[in-house]
Amino acid sequence: MHRILTRHAAVLLIVAGSLMQAEAFAAEPAEVKTALKAKVAALMPLVAAGKYDTLLQQVGMTADPNRTEYDALREQVSRLSDIGGKYVDFEVVGYKALGTRYQTVYAMAYFQKLPVLFEFGFYYVNGDWQPLRLKVDLNFQSLLDTLPLERP
């Protein structure tokens, strides 16, 4: 009987521990957005400084054996100042959650000549939001098409 109770207690502790861990990353949406905005704010100065390899490494991009995806994204990011002018600033323009551990943050980077949409993917692991993916979009009409139209 004691052994059965001990097993039940152990199961309850495991379940309770899992629930507490789930609560740790399932924070209030405002807290998650604040944390993610800070992560993006730490990455965007790399764009301003032209540190593209560092940016790609920090968002989890590694040069694959063929280097195709890495080189294509690096080329795209490195050309931004050529076509957009000097980097000015950014603002977070949206969030999208895919479960409780993966979030996409949309940040509009403002260059002198044009805005550029940065799409960062973050994964919650080991108690922190880790950048996992980056997409850069000069033509973000597909995103605009999904947003509701605000009427005057």
Side-chain angles (χ1 to χ4, degrees):
M1 177 82 163
H2 178 65
R3 187 174 290 167
I4 292 172
L5 288 176
T6 304
R7 285 186 186 163
H8 286 293
V11 168
L12 286 174
L13 285 174
I14 291 169
V15 170
S18 296
L19 289 174
M20 288 189 322
Q21 185 179 14
E23 286 180 25
F25 63 79
E28 290 296 319
E31 294 172 7
V32 171
K33 289 178 181 178
T34 299
L36 292 171
K37 185 176 181 180
K39 293 289 185 174
V40 171
L43 293 169
M44 293 309 287
L46 297 173
V47 175
K51 296 182 177 182
Y52 309 120
D53 288 318
T54 304
L55 172 68
L56 296 179
Q57 289 167 0
Q58 287 194 11
V59 296
M61 293 289 300
T62 55
D64 57 61
N66 298 328
R67 295 188 59 94
T68 53
E69 184 180 359
Y70 180 90
D71 286 344
L73 186 56
R74 187 190 188 291
E75 176 68 21
Q76 185 182 24
V77 174
S78 65
R79 289 190 19 232
L80 291 177
S81 60
D82 294 339
I83 59 176
K86 184 179 176 185
Y87 172 86
V88 178
D89 199 6
F90 85 96
E91 69 178 314
V92 172
V93 295
Y95 301 88
K96 188 181 291 185
L98 184 60
T100 56
R101 293 185 189 214
Y102 189 84
Q103 294 267 344
T104 301
V105 179
Y106 299 92
M108 188 68 72
Y110 298 107
F111 290 80
Q112 288 173 325
K113 298 177 187 173
L114 56 85
V116 177
L117 184 68
F118 281 69
E119 185 179 315
F120 292 96
F122 288 93
Y123 180 56
Y124 191 85
V125 63
N126 297 327
D128 194 20
W129 289 99
Q130 300 295 319
L132 187 64
R133 189 177 65 72
L134 171 64
K135 180 181 175 188
V136 177
D137 194 354
L138 296 172
N139 178 11
F140 39 87
Q141 188 62 44
S142 60
L143 177 64
L144 290 175
D145 290 342
T146 66
L147 300 175
L149 177 66
E150 289 187 30
R151 301 196 186 277

